[in-house]
Amino acid sequence: DDVAHDLRTPITRLRGAAETALQSGGDEGDMRDALAECIEESERIQIMLNTLMDVSEAETGAMRLNPQKLNVAPVLDEVVDLYSYVAEDKGVSVATDYPAEIFALADRNRIRQVMANLLDNAVKYTPEGGSVLISAVRSGEDVLITVKDTGIGISGSELDSIWDRLYRGDRSRPERGLGLGLSLVKAIVGAHRGRVEVSSAPGSGSEFSVHLPA
Ligand code: ADP
C-alpha cells in the first residue's frame, strides 16, 4: 500500500508534464522543459523501484552477494571522499578513526552502499557546524563500524519506524529522500549475517553501529 501511494505522486507528475507538453502548441522550449521533467520523474520512479527490489532481494536471501575477505578501510576512505564535498558545502566536518587494515567477510559493493547511505544520512541530518565521525574496530568475532553525528537526532517514538520501507521522519521532510536508505542498510547487513543498531536522542545526535562478521 505504501509503495503504491508513494509511486502515485511521481507518476501523476510524469503524466502531467507529458500532457502539458502536448497542449503547449509545439513550442520547442516548453517541449524540452516538459521532457526534462519527464526524465527526472521517471528517474525517481526507477530509483525507488530498484531500491525496493534490492531490499526485498536482500530480505528474502535472493541478493547475490560476493563475500570476500575485505579490507574495510579503503571502502570507508572511498565513501568519505565521495561525501566530503557535500559535507564541506554544508559546513559539516567529517573525521575518521580506523586502522589502515581491518578485515570483514563482506561484499565490497554492498558494504559501500551501506556506508554511503549511513554517511549520506549523517551529513543530511546534521546542521551546519556539526560533525560526523566514522570509525571501525575489531570487536570479538565482529568488525564494528560506527557512524556518529551531532545532528538533529531521532525521538524514541520514531526509533522503531526508521527501518521501515518508505518511512520518513517528520523533521526530515525538507530534505531529499525516499525513506528507503535504512531499510536497504538493514536488509544488506542482515544478508551478511550481521546486524545494525542505532542509539539516538533528539538534539544530541545519532550513532549507527554496523556489526559484520570478521
Ligand atoms: P530518508 O533519509 O530518505 O528519509 P532513511 O530510510 O535513510 O530515509 O531514514 C529514515 C528516517 O530516519 C529519516 O527520514 C530520518 O527521519 C531518520 N534518520 C536516519 N538517519 C538519521 C540521522 N543520522 N539523524 C537523524 N535522523 C535520521
Side-chain angles (χ1 to χ4, degrees), residues 121 124-125 149 154 162 167-169 172 177-182 206:
N121 280 348
K124 197 161 71 168
Y125 299 118
D149 66 57
I154 304 164
I162 58 170
Y167 176 83
R168 301 208 70 211
S172 64
L178 298 172
L180 287 172
L182 288 182
S206 311

Side-chain angles (χ1 to χ4, degrees), residues 76-175:
L76 297 178
D77 289 344
E78 214 175 284
V79 175
V80 169
D81 236 31
L82 193 69
Y83 282 92
S84 58
Y85 300 102
V86 187
E88 201 180 308
D89 254 13
K90 221 189 144 178
V92 171
S93 64
V94 179
T96 59
D97 182 15
Y98 44 80
E101 286 195 334
I102 178 159
F103 291 93
L105 188 63
D107 181 302
R108 191 178 207 284
N109 288 334
R110 291 302 181 184
I111 291 310
R112 195 178 45 204
Q113 206 175 4
V114 163
M115 296 319 300
N117 271 296
L118 292 178
L119 186 53
D120 183 48
N121 280 348
V123 172
K124 197 161 71 168
Y125 299 118
T126 299
E128 188 178 350
S131 61
V132 176
L133 173 67
I134 294 119
S135 42
V137 287
R138 177 75 187 250
S139 162
E141 296 293 296
D142 290 348
V143 166
L144 168 62
I145 310 171
T146 53
V147 180
K148 189 175 163 63
D149 66 57
T150 61
I152 61 172
I154 304 164
S155 69
S157 60
E158 287 189 313
L159 276 177
D160 282 338
S161 316
I162 58 170
W163 309 102
D164 295 346
R165 292 172 210 208
L166 298 165
Y167 176 83
R168 301 208 70 211
D170 284 341
R171 287 181 311 151
S172 64
R173 298 278 163 204
E175 301 290 343

Side-chain angles (χ1 to χ4, degrees), residues 7-106:
L7 279 174
R8 207 161 53 183
T9 311
I11 287 176
T12 305
R13 281 200 296 248
L14 178 62
R15 187 186 164 125
E19 279 173 356
T20 311
L22 280 178
Q23 288 159 6
S24 70
D27 179 81
E28 194 184 326
D30 289 349
M31 292 277 208
R32 283 188 168 276
D33 286 350
L35 281 174
E37 200 181 327
C38 288
I39 291 173
E40 211 172 286
E41 292 301 343
S42 38
E43 258 169 18
R44 199 176 156 83
I45 296 164
Q46 229 165 15
I47 291 173
M48 198 187 259
L49 290 176
N50 287 341
T51 314
L52 281 164
M53 290 288 289
D54 273 357
V55 172
S56 65
E57 276 182 16
E59 281 179 352
T60 58
M63 176 174 272
R64 261 189 277 140
L65 290 178
N66 178 21
Q68 47 178 311
K69 188 181 169 196
L70 175 73
N71 185 5
V72 174
V75 181
L76 297 178
D77 289 344
E78 214 175 284
V79 175
V80 169
D81 236 31
L82 193 69
Y83 282 92
S84 58
Y85 300 102
V86 187
E88 201 180 308
D89 254 13
K90 221 189 144 178
V92 171
S93 64
V94 179
T96 59
D97 182 15
Y98 44 80
E101 286 195 334
I102 178 159
F103 291 93
L105 188 63

